[in-house]
Every structure is written in structure tokens, then in C-alpha cells.
Amino acid sequence: MPIPPLAGLTTYNKAADPGYSVEQNVKCFLRYAWIHKRMMESGLYWLASTPEWEVKEALGLHLSLDADNAASIRVRVGEMRNPVPRMDICPDLAIDRLFNELWTATDTLEKIVGLYGVIRPALMAAYQTHYDEINPTFDHPTWRMIKHILVDQDDITAWGDEAVAAVVVTPEDEARAEAWRTHLETYLLAAGGITGELQKPVALPDARSNGKFEPDFFP
């Protein structure tokens, strides 16, 4: 049996693939970090007002992991770019428009379906694609960072799948959840998806937030 090459990271064929460039990485990371920030703020915004203790527990843990993941991304961006691009401003206003819609959720069903049934699965899919396509040899720090973020996000996704199943019970729940899911997915698509690369829709459904809603304690 031959000894595995490249410390077991990948094959020689895969190592010859350039993967993501620095420019592509940074473009995605600015979006990922902002989305983590907004998901963290969602947890903070909903923590006190959500009645179910189990949801409070999850929101508290998950917003903490989002903060950790965003911090890791900031460090990596600083290693890739000097001067470091600003990470305290939204890289795409369509992302904030999506979260403005999410924050109009009226009850636990809409909170869970919106955050754990739409936004987090889309982010997880983007990370998985990034991880699969990155070159793990010459960009090992990025590969390793995403690998660890995926562990956190996979645990969150597993809880979210069970939570969605728990709150969507009746046919009426199903209809309401599907309408809300479709609404938010359209706003996500209007941002080009997580990475900004998807084709945007021609028109958007009427905004619940009227383009103005934002929790009072967010700048």
C-alpha cells in the first residue's frame, strides 16, 4: 500500500487545481462575516421575547458560535489583505434587506423557519461548496478555518432541522411556513444568494418591513 501523499490532505490531481483565489476568498468572506453578524443579532433580538426555553437555549449558543466564526473570518481576511478591508459595513445592502424581512417574524414558527429553514441552510451550502473547491495545500489556513466552521454550522443545522419539524405540525402551519420560506428565499436570491453569484429575480414581493424596519439597538 502506498503512503498517502500531501499529508493526506488531497490528491496530486486536486492539488494542481488552483481553487479559490485570494480575491474570491475575500469577496466571499466579507459576505459570510456580515451574515454571521446579522444572524448573531437575530439571536440577540429574539432571545428575550421568544417564549420557548429550548429556543432561547439554542439562540444563545448559536449567536455565540456566529460571533466566533465571524472573528475567525476577520483574522483570515487580515492575513490575506493589507490594508484590511472594512468589515463593519454591509458588503451588499440586499443582505440587510433580507434580514430586515426576517426580523418581522411574528412568532416562533416564522423565526425558526426563516433563520433555520432558509438562511442557515443556504450559508451551510455555500461553506460546503467553498470547502470542496478550495485548494487544501497552498491555502491550508483557509481550508482548515472553513473545516472548523462547518463543524459548528453542521451542529446548528441539525438542531434547526429538528426545530423546524417541531414547529411545523398542522396543514395550516405547513402553508404558512411555505409562504414565509418562499418570501425570504426570494429576498435571499435578490442578494445573489450567500455569495452574491446567483441570478437575481426581476421583481421582489412586497416587503413586510417596508424597507424601514430594523431593531432599535442596531446601528
Side-chain angles (χ1 to χ4, degrees):
M1 177 182 293
I3 296 173
L6 302 173
L9 290 174
T10 189
T11 64
Y12 284 117
N13 285 339
K14 175 65 176 176
D17 185 342
Y20 278 47
S21 66
V22 170
E23 182 179 359
Q24 287 174 303
N25 274 323
V26 171
K27 177 178 178 291
C28 288
F29 289 163
L30 294 178
R31 295 176 69 93
Y32 296 165
W34 192 259
I35 290 168
H36 280 295
K37 176 180 184 291
R38 286 311 200 192
M39 292 194 302
M40 178 189 70
E41 291 171 341
S42 301
L44 289 170
Y45 178 50
W46 290 337
L47 194 58
S49 62
T50 303
E52 296 85 357
W53 181 251
E54 294 81 5
V55 179
K56 291 179 185 290
E57 292 171 326
L59 289 174
L61 173 61
H62 299 165
L63 71 88
S64 175
L65 294 175
D66 283 324
D68 288 346
N69 292 165
S72 297
I73 292 170
R74 290 189 188 98
V75 170
R76 186 63 185 135
V77 170
E79 294 168 344
M80 290 180 150
R81 281 282 183 257
N82 188 14
V84 181
R86 288 189 64 178
M87 300 185 71
D88 61 338
I89 58 174
C90 181
D92 183 347
L93 292 178
I95 296 174
D96 279 354
R97 185 168 56 191
L98 165 66
F99 278 91
N100 282 348
E101 291 301 294
L102 175 68
W103 290 331
T104 65
T106 58
D107 59 10
T108 300
L109 182 149
E110 289 193 345
K111 294 173 185 177
I112 295 295
V113 170
L115 184 57
Y116 293 93
V118 176
I119 297 176
R120 287 194 180 277
L123 180 63
M124 183 71 172
Y127 271 128
Q128 189 63 60
T129 297
H130 202 141
Y131 179 77
D132 292 341
E133 295 185 4
I134 204 166
N135 189 305
T137 51
F138 70 73
D139 199 6
H140 184 263
T142 299
W143 180 85
R144 185 172 182 271
M145 180 194 74
I146 294 178
K147 181 178 181 179
H148 285 273
I149 290 175
L150 279 170
V151 171
D152 287 343
Q153 294 303 313
D154 189 52
D155 289 342
I156 294 173
T157 299
W159 181 89
D161 289 345
E162 292 189 31
V164 170
V167 299
V168 180
V169 180
T170 67
E172 291 77 12
D173 293 340
E174 290 276 4
R176 196 155 64 90
E178 184 57 29
W180 182 230
R181 185 182 291 111
T182 299
H183 182 82
L184 292 178
E185 285 175 346
T186 305
Y187 275 84
L188 176 59
L189 190 58
I194 297 296
T195 61
E197 298 172 343
L198 299 180
Q199 184 174 353
K200 299 179 181 181
V202 174
L204 283 171
D206 291 341
R208 278 194 187 183
S209 63
N210 294 318
K212 299 177 182 179
F213 176 83
E214 192 161 340
D216 292 341
F217 57 89
F218 298 155

